[in-house]
């Protein structure tokens, strides 16, 4: 998964304004106590981060 695909999926699910806010502020234990931005900056695979977001936020299967 490319980073551009990731952000498009985030905007589709959360909305353009909330996607970045969620990614910056929501700390997830599944990402080692990191936010999406922190996990991506540390080099976590984009697909892995997306899977965590989907699991934590119960993203519908058709949007995964």
């Amino acid at each position: 998964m490319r980073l551009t695909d990731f952000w498009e999926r985030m905007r589709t699910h959360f909305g353009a304004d909330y996607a970045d806010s969620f990614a910056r502020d929501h700390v997830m234990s599944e990402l080692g106590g990191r936010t999406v931005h922190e996990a991506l900056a540390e080099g976590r695979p984009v697909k892995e981060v997306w899977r965590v977001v989907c699991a934590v936020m119960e993203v519908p299967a058709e949007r995964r």
Side-chain angles (χ1 to χ4, degrees), residues 10 21-22 29-30 32 39 43-44 46 50-51 53 58 61 63:
M10 288 286 287
S21 176
F22 173 85
S29 60
E30 296 84 354
R44 286 270 184 111
V46 177
W50 176 244
R51 286 183 180 152
V53 170
E58 299 178 356
R63 288 190 179 170

Side-chain angles (χ1 to χ4, degrees), residues 36-60:
V36 167
H37 281 295
E38 291 169 336
L40 292 173
E42 289 180 353
R44 286 270 184 111
V46 177
K47 194 169 194 173
E48 175 188 327
V49 175
W50 176 244
R51 286 183 180 152
V52 169
V53 170
C54 289
V56 169
M57 301 307 293
E58 299 178 356
V59 174

